[in-house]
Amino acid sequence: MMSHRLLLSATLPLLMSLSARPASAETLKVVASFTVLADVVSQVGGEHVKVTSLVGPNGDPHEFEPSPADARNLKAAKVAFVSGERLEGWMDRLISASGYKGQPIMVSDGINTRTMEEDGQTVTDPHVWNSPVNVKVWVANIEKALSAADPADAAAFKANAAAYGKTLDALDAYAHSKFDTIPDDRRKVLTSHDAFGYFGREYNVGFLAPLGVSTESEASAADVARLIEQIKAEHVKTYFFENSNDPRLVKQIAKATGAEPGGELYVESLSAPKGPAPTYEKMFRYNVDQIAAAMAKTM
């Protein structure tokens, strides 16, 4: 009897300590609208989330057409994230079709957005992630939403967000180190559409493009002619095409101006896992390196 009492007295504190710990939460099923956002959610969520991106690698979030599988993934999600600012024009239709009962979290809420003119209207530029300074706002909003959905793992989300914030600060410093020494008159390139506004604002780089905020827009012959004249007048020497949209128009303009190819940029979508831009961190560094190298050739 004595041995049983000794065993009980030894194990009771251990049992009490185990029962006092919060039960480990189940892995959260999370949906993000496109790959760039999905990666940032994964960085904050870590092992506590399973993130599905609706738009796949090399996909265009403007022209995306959701499938029945996307509807099923959204309906099963505990939390859904969108960038917002009218990037995901298809999201409301998908919510209705899927029966998703929640309200997607708009991670761009709180960002100092920029406006631009398109088809005679003033619109908000949705491409906020092309500045890591803006992505820090994403991270704060993602951490808050995940912690609300899974309070038991809030400490982990907070730690992950803080660590990733340092990564974003390092990306910002890296870009400045590459561009700050380049003369202002050499900081101009031609791209497929106007998706680098926040990048340009942050690092004083000029981007010229035949298409506006969305790849769904069309450039008129007059617009293209004006752009060609502007490129010649401003001596823009390099053009880039984008991984997620048709390069034919920008190549046509480059041919008319004599601009040389600088390669491919990852603007609205990550690459496949074995590509050069499988994460946001690698995507941003890759784009900086490509653009800075093109500018260096003109110095």
Side-chain angles (χ1 to χ4, degrees):
M1 180 66 72
M2 183 65 70
S3 63
H4 288 295
R5 288 178 179 173
L6 288 173
L7 181 61
L8 181 61
S9 64
T11 57
L12 187 58
L14 177 60
L15 292 171
M16 291 178 65
S17 67
L18 289 173
S19 64
R21 296 176 186 174
S24 178
E26 292 184 7
T27 302
L28 279 181
K29 289 184 178 181
V30 176
V31 158
S33 55
F34 67 121
T35 53
V36 178
L37 177 54
D39 178 63
V40 178
V41 173
S42 294
Q43 300 297 332
V44 178
E47 64 182 4
H48 303 291
V49 301
K50 180 182 180 182
V51 185
T52 299
S53 178
L54 296 174
V55 182
N58 299 308
D60 185 340
H62 295 288
E63 298 186 332
F64 178 64
E65 291 292 337
S67 69
D70 296 317
R72 290 192 295 270
N73 285 329
L74 180 59
K75 186 175 183 179
K78 181 71 178 290
V79 188
F81 291 99
V82 296
S83 181
E85 303 300 347
R86 299 175 63 185
L87 175 73
E88 303 94 343
W90 40 266
M91 193 66 179
D92 287 343
R93 290 183 282 112
L94 180 58
I95 290 172
S96 297
S98 68
Y100 179 68
K101 301 302 181 184
Q103 183 66 34
I105 306 300
M106 191 179 87
V107 297
S108 297
D109 188 29
I111 286 175
N112 177 23
T113 55
R114 63 184 289 271
T115 57
M116 53 194 296
E117 294 296 318
E118 184 170 87
D119 298 330
Q121 294 183 331
T122 301
V123 298
T124 299
D125 182 354
H127 305 94
V128 298
W129 58 88
N130 283 314
S131 161
V133 175
N134 290 341
V135 177
K136 292 185 73 172
V137 177
W138 272 18
V139 168
N141 289 330
I142 291 166
E143 180 203 339
K144 181 179 179 181
L146 292 179
S147 296
D150 177 13
D153 292 316
F157 300 143
K158 183 176 181 179
N160 292 344
Y164 196 58
K166 293 179 181 179
T167 297
L168 296 171
D169 287 338
L171 291 179
D172 181 43
Y174 182 73
H176 277 293
S177 74
K178 290 288 188 178
F179 294 120
D180 288 355
T181 59
I182 297 175
D184 288 350
D185 64 348
R186 294 291 182 267
R187 297 191 201 183
K188 296 176 183 178
V189 295
L190 171 65
T191 57
S192 299
H193 85 293
D194 198 352
F196 274 102
Y198 294 96
F199 189 110
R201 183 174 75 179
E202 206 68 56
Y203 308 111
N204 192 27
V205 176
F207 291 90
L208 305 177
L211 299 180
V213 65
S214 173
T215 54
E216 294 179 300
S217 61
E218 293 185 6
S220 68
D223 290 336
V224 171
R226 280 194 295 269
L227 181 58
I228 288 172
E229 291 306 311
Q230 183 182 0
I231 290 167
K232 290 179 178 178
E234 297 184 15
H235 307 291
V236 177
K237 301 297 185 182
T238 308
Y239 78 90
F240 291 91
F241 58 93
E242 301 168 15
N243 69 312
S244 57
N245 55 61
D246 192 330
R248 286 177 294 181
L249 179 57
V250 72
K251 287 183 177 181
Q252 174 189 335
I253 293 170
K255 184 176 181 180
T257 62
E260 295 294 325
E264 184 177 47
L265 297 179
Y266 290 80
V267 184
E268 298 174 328
S269 175
L270 302 181
S271 68
K274 293 184 179 181
T279 67
Y280 175 74
E281 180 181 3
K282 290 183 178 180
M283 178 188 96
F284 186 80
R285 285 183 180 274
Y286 179 85
N287 287 341
V288 168
D289 288 344
Q290 293 285 93
I291 296 168
M295 292 176 178
K297 291 179 181 179
T298 67
M299 292 173 62

